[in-house]
Amino acid sequence: MNKKTDRRGFLRNTVSGLASVPLLGPLLAARKDMPYRPLGKTGERVSLITVGGAHLGYGHVEESEAVRIVHAAIDGGVNFFDNSWDYNGGRSEERMGKALAQDGKRKKVFLMTKFCCHRRGWSRTAALEMLEESLRRLQTDYLDLWQIHEVIQPDHPEKAFLPDSAVEALVAARQAGKVRYVGFTGHRDPAIHLEMLAHDFPFDTVQLPLNPLDAHYRSFQKQVLPVLNSRGIGAIGMKPLAGGSRRGAILDTGAVSAIQCLHYAMNLPVSTVCTGITSMQILEQALEAARTFRPLPDEEVAGLLAGIRRYALEGKYERYKA
């Protein structure tokens, strides 16, 4: 056995062994009007909607409004909250931390953030430093999920698995009891996700863009999602409105509504759909989409995809894939 194969086995066995020992008990009781789904093989059940952290730190969103959105989302049954070390210079994590520090709300949620090798480099040390900064901003001593953020360049998978690099940081943080589950994210090219998965590391989750446009162009839905499902990895859908403008680039086509896009993503075999929230109105829209979701008939899906196809083929509205 060569050193590279032996090291992969060590990382895989280390995380797999820890995965069978949950650090915490069950999360908040489910609300009857909010659907919950299993998060892969973790044993966790998460709300069909995840509140994206980036939007909460946007300059046009007041801090008080961001806190209000987090509280209202929890009251509405959302138990999964997304964030990242680099969102808005740390402002997104700080605002979410302030919101969750009130009235014991941290104990009611499944909290995720990410670390950013594209900002500070790929070393284990840099990643663990970012983890400590995230924990401080989020006012917590542990994360439910910690992910490598934006694995988007062809050489990123190789860098992630080098000795003393990002994947070793995931293992170390979990061994230290500072994170419960680990994963990675990306939005550029399905081939890069597949290269990460080819290392056979036991990721608990993977975050990937899923929307009607994606079905036609460099499709994560077609190339990556089946692999996640076959391996029991929790699939976190993101960019259901294709990112871009404040309201979502896909809406600029005029071919689909926000609810249609959210329902499309929810109709896929995912654990949850992460969407950006900048106002109480948009939060209510997301909650309505989750509460009213029913499996879509095949003919409805086919019609939606046919209507959006001409906007999708050049990737114009999925600029994060460029």
Side-chain angles (χ1 to χ4, degrees), residues 125-143:
T125 298
L128 294 176
E129 287 175 351
M130 284 185 272
L131 173 61
E132 294 302 324
E133 291 173 17
S134 290
L135 292 173
R136 175 179 52 78
R137 292 170 181 164
L138 291 165
Q139 300 188 40
T140 186
D141 56 2
Y142 73 95
L143 297 172

Side-chain angles (χ1 to χ4, degrees), residues 43-118:
E44 305 288 345
R45 292 186 66 82
V46 293
S47 50
L48 187 50
I49 281 290
T50 291
V51 170
H55 294 62
L56 297 176
Y58 283 179
H60 68 282
V61 179
E62 295 291 334
E63 180 178 291
S64 59
E65 182 72 352
V67 170
R68 184 179 173 219
I69 288 168
V70 171
H71 291 174
I74 294 172
D75 291 342
V78 175
N79 69 357
F80 197 162
F81 287 81
D82 157 277
N83 225 304
S84 180
W85 173 87
D86 70 335
Y87 284 163
N88 303 294
R91 187 165 61 237
S92 289
E93 288 187 331
E94 290 170 353
R95 289 180 172 184
M96 190 168 285
K98 289 179 181 179
L100 295 179
Q102 299 179 23
D103 303 321
K105 287 183 168 53
R106 170 65 186 95
K107 295 180 180 179
K108 297 181 177 182
V109 306
F110 189 95
L111 180 60
M112 177 265 283
T113 199
K114 319 174 196 83
F115 64 101
C116 306
C117 301
H118 58 287

Side-chain angles (χ1 to χ4, degrees), residues 4-13 122 148 151 153-163 167 184 191-203 227 231 233:
K4 185 174 182 180
T5 302
D6 185 57
R7 184 171 164 277
R8 285 186 182 180
F10 169 76
L11 292 173
R12 180 174 63 251
N13 293 336
W122 289 84
I148 308 171
V151 181
Q153 298 294 347
D155 64 345
H156 283 180
E158 179 182 1
K159 289 180 176 179
F161 281 91
L162 288 172
V167 170
F184 74 91
I192 298 171
H193 270 53
L194 294 175
E195 180 61 27
M196 285 290 286
L197 293 167
H199 284 266
D200 198 30
F201 180 82
F203 291 109
V227 178
R231 290 171 53 172
I233 297 172

Side-chain angles (χ1 to χ4, degrees), residues 157-220:
E158 179 182 1
K159 289 180 176 179
F161 281 91
L162 288 172
D164 195 37
S165 191
V167 170
E168 289 194 4
L170 296 178
V171 173
R174 192 162 185 174
Q175 286 178 326
K178 294 189 176 183
V179 305
R180 302 176 67 207
Y181 305 107
V182 297
F184 74 91
T185 84
H187 51 65
R188 181 67 53 80
D189 190 329
I192 298 171
H193 270 53
L194 294 175
E195 180 61 27
M196 285 290 286
L197 293 167
H199 284 266
D200 198 30
F201 180 82
F203 291 109
D204 298 300
T205 62
V206 170
Q207 194 160 338
L208 66 170
L210 296 169
N211 58 63
L213 294 168
D214 173 78
H216 295 291
Y217 176 76
R218 204 181 286 175
S219 179
F220 286 83

